[in-house]
Amino acid sequence: MRLVSKERLQSFVGPESHKKMSQRRLARYADKHPSFINHLTSGRRTSCEPRTAELIAEALDVPLAVLFMPETASSGSAISKEKVA
C-alpha cells in the first residue's frame, strides 16, 4: 500500500498532545520497529504491506483510504518478474 502523504500521517502521529498517537506506540500496535514508523512519517519510506497499513489505520481510528492507497503495478515491474527463457 502506498502512503497518501507523509504530512497526512504526521497530522495523526507525533509527541504533541493533540496527536492521536506517538510513533513508538503506533509501532507497537502495528508490530513494527519504531524506525519503520519514523521512516513513513519522514518520507524516507512511502509504502508498506497491506496488513501493516490496515493496522496503522485501525490504531489511528481512521479509514484506510485516508492514509493509504493501493499500489498499482507498472508494466515494467510485471515484466521484470517474468522469467526470460
Side-chain angles (χ1 to χ4, degrees), residues 70-83:
E71 287 191 273
T72 55
S74 67
S75 58
S77 65
I79 291 170
S80 66
K81 291 180 181 177
E82 292 179 12
K83 213 173 192 180

Side-chain angles (χ1 to χ4, degrees), residues 50-69:
R51 182 63 185 143
T52 301
E54 291 168 3
L55 287 169
I56 290 171
E58 181 181 298
L60 298 173
D61 195 29
V62 297
L64 182 63
V66 168
L67 297 172
F68 295 95
M69 60 185 153

Side-chain angles (χ1 to χ4, degrees), residues 1-82:
M1 301 285 290
R2 182 152 306 280
L3 187 63
V4 171
S5 76
K6 67 178 184 176
E7 292 81 12
R8 185 159 309 164
L9 183 58
Q10 289 169 355
S11 71
F12 295 104
V13 179
E16 299 89 347
S17 61
H18 67 279
K19 304 279 176 106
K20 288 194 173 196
M21 192 173 288
S22 70
Q23 288 184 14
R24 187 169 297 279
R25 190 166 159 216
L26 180 57
R28 244 180 313 205
Y29 190 94
D31 196 29
K32 293 292 176 185
H33 194 276
S35 65
F36 178 87
I37 301 300
N38 179 269
H39 288 179
L40 284 174
T41 59
S42 69
R44 284 188 296 253
R45 187 174 182 102
T46 59
S47 64
C48 63
E49 293 295 319
R51 182 63 185 143
T52 301
E54 291 168 3
L55 287 169
I56 290 171
E58 181 181 298
L60 298 173
D61 195 29
V62 297
L64 182 63
V66 168
L67 297 172
F68 295 95
M69 60 185 153
E71 287 191 273
T72 55
S74 67
S75 58
S77 65
I79 291 170
S80 66
K81 291 180 181 177
E82 292 179 12

